[in-house]
Amino acid sequence: MNFDLELSCQVLARTPPTLDALLDGLPDLWTRGVEGPDTFSPFDVVGHLIDGEETDWIPRARIILVRGPNPVFEPYDRFRHRVRNAGRTLPSLLEEFARLRGENLALLRSWDLTPADLELPGTHPSLGRVTLRQLLASWVVHDLGHLAQVARVMAKQLRQEVGPWEPFLPVLTDHETPRS
Amino acid sequence: MNFDLELSCQVLARTPPTLDALLDGLPDLWTRGVEGPDTFSPFDVVGHLIDGEETDWIPRARIILVRGPNPVFEPYDRFRHRVRNAGRTLPSLLEEFARLRGENLALLRSWDLTPADLELPGTHPSLGRVTLRQLLASWVVHDLGHLAQVARVMAKQLRQEVGPWEPFLPVLTDHETPRS
């Protein structure tokens, strides 16, 4: 599939309701479990996606669109959510994520980006030169990767309970070594 | 987490609305893509989950609960959906899956299973002796594994578009060799 702004927005708009359908109202046993040390629980993933709305995707798109002489992105803090969301509930994070995503998509659509805009460059602090098109495609992939992670981490909470079925359920042994 | 019937039903009940939120109304470019030869698209996954409702989890639970002398499960056909759903639309499959899952969960709850019931045995055609508890735990894990698969397969449709971000997006390189 080639990148297409409208096709991408369709998926970006679905992430909050998908996470609501999967997680909102579930007990902590499902939403606070992890798959190993220093990995994200479903609760952590929602916090990380909020961080992305506030500090990553749209802020970086703005840096590109300003067309300044030195469009370098701020480094992204993958653990900002840990302090930010101490004491928060998952329903309140899901609501906040949906609101932020809605605002960011409205802003993105309001820019009415042209094909030429999508080729504008920015500088990633470790990856170097990237384009707005690559940034927006990565936003979509990042959402879907974390949705897959939420489902995988939930599945692993029952790993000890499936008995002989384990080899038929590859999700239980995906990412034995953390990959993100 | 130890297996708990109510906690499991909570997740099983969420799979249809989660897939609706993610997929219902998306164009075929998102829902018919695969991650390699002989792998499942999101459309195929919904068909496979329907097959599970009709031929796998509840039919096998029934075989166990009958307590006959030889509780051997029928082999499961992972590709039954390919012929069954030729010409179907994804919205109609999502609707059918939600209806079947709702009926099966109502039936499961109506059985009012005791801890002793959960230890009753069945015989899997290739895995050998299993318990009802392991069967039901595997049902939940199977759902979550296929939800992760749907998100992963969608993400991979944009693999060529993320440029230098690929190493930061591990979902793009998960399951390079099919694992299920």
Side-chain angles (χ1 to χ4, degrees):
Chain A
M1 187 193 300
N2 293 323
F3 176 77
D4 176 274
L5 190 57
E6 180 50 34
L7 283 173
S8 294
C9 286
Q10 287 176 14
V11 171
L12 290 169
R14 283 160 185 264
T15 307
T18 302
L19 289 170
D20 286 351
L22 182 59
L23 298 175
D24 198 8
L26 275 187
D28 287 356
L29 276 167
W30 279 120
T31 62
R32 300 283 190 148
V34 295
E35 61 181 330
D38 294 322
T39 61
F40 286 178
S41 67
F43 178 90
D44 293 329
V45 168
V46 179
H48 172 69
L49 291 171
I50 287 173
D51 288 350
E53 298 308 296
E54 292 189 327
T55 71
D56 189 342
W57 312 105
I58 286 288
R60 289 176 168 188
R62 284 184 192 276
I63 287 171
I64 291 174
L65 289 168
V66 163
R67 303 187 196 209
N70 192 20
V72 182
F73 304 154
E74 295 285 324
Y76 177 67
D77 176 2
R78 290 187 63 243
F79 297 100
R80 173 181 184 261
H81 57 95
R82 293 225 164 134
V83 172
R84 180 188 188 278
N85 301 330
R88 293 285 302 272
T89 67
L90 181 56
S92 81
L93 290 185
L94 287 166
E95 197 179 313
E96 186 175 19
F97 174 51
R99 179 178 58 72
L100 291 167
R101 174 59 58 89
E103 291 167 4
N104 280 336
L105 282 180
L107 183 62
L108 175 62
R109 287 188 159 119
S110 77
W111 289 338
D112 217 0
L113 297 170
T114 65
D117 292 332
L118 292 172
E119 303 313 321
L120 289 170
T123 305
H124 187 284
S126 59
L127 298 173
R129 188 186 186 281
V130 295
T131 64
L132 179 57
R133 174 193 185 100
Q134 290 165 342
L135 175 78
L136 298 175
S138 298
W139 189 7
V140 179
V141 172
H142 182 265
D143 265 29
L144 292 165
H146 283 293
L147 179 58
Q149 179 186 30
V150 166
R152 181 180 74 240
V153 171
M154 290 173 68
K156 287 187 180 182
Q157 306 310 308
L158 284 177
R159 182 168 178 179
Q160 306 308 320
E161 296 290 350
V162 303
W165 261 285
E166 188 177 290
F168 284 11
L169 297 166
V171 71
L172 294 174
T173 45
D174 281 344
H175 289 237
E176 298 262 55
T177 305
R179 300 199 61 220
S180 56
Chain B
M1 187 192 302
N2 292 324
F3 177 78
D4 176 274
L5 189 57
E6 180 50 34
L7 282 173
S8 294
C9 286
Q10 287 177 15
V11 170
L12 290 169
R14 282 161 185 264
T15 306
T18 302
L19 289 171
D20 286 351
L22 182 60
L23 297 175
D24 197 8
L26 275 187
D28 287 356
L29 276 168
W30 279 121
T31 62
R32 300 283 189 148
V34 296
E35 61 182 329
D38 294 323
T39 61
F40 286 178
S41 67
F43 178 91
D44 293 329
V45 168
V46 178
H48 173 69
L49 291 171
I50 287 173
D51 288 350
E53 298 307 297
E54 292 188 328
T55 71
D56 189 342
W57 311 104
I58 287 288
R60 289 177 168 188
R62 284 182 191 277
I63 288 170
I64 291 175
L65 289 168
V66 164
R67 303 186 196 210
N70 192 19
V72 182
F73 305 153
E74 295 285 323
Y76 177 67
D77 177 2
R78 291 186 61 244
F79 298 99
R80 173 180 185 262
H81 56 96
R82 294 225 163 133
V83 172
R84 180 188 188 278
N85 301 330
R88 294 285 300 273
T89 66
L90 181 56
S92 82
L93 290 185
L94 287 166
E95 196 179 313
E96 186 174 20
F97 175 51
R99 179 178 58 72
L100 292 167
R101 173 59 59 89
E103 291 168 4
N104 281 336
L105 282 180
L107 184 62
L108 174 62
R109 287 187 158 121
S110 77
W111 289 338
D112 217 359
L113 297 171
T114 66
D117 292 333
L118 292 173
E119 303 312 321
L120 289 171
T123 304
H124 187 283
S126 59
L127 299 173
R129 188 184 185 282
V130 294
T131 65
L132 180 55
R133 172 193 185 101
Q134 290 165 343
L135 175 77
L136 298 175
S138 298
W139 190 6
V140 178
V141 172
H142 182 266
D143 264 31
L144 291 166
H146 283 293
L147 179 57
Q149 179 186 29
V150 166
R152 182 180 72 241
V153 171
M154 290 173 69
K156 287 186 181 184
Q157 306 311 308
L158 284 177
R159 182 167 178 178
Q160 306 309 318
E161 295 291 350
V162 302
W165 261 285
E166 189 177 290
F168 284 11
L169 297 167
V171 71
L172 292 174
T173 46
D174 281 345
H175 289 236
E176 297 263 57
T177 305
R179 299 199 60 220
S180 55

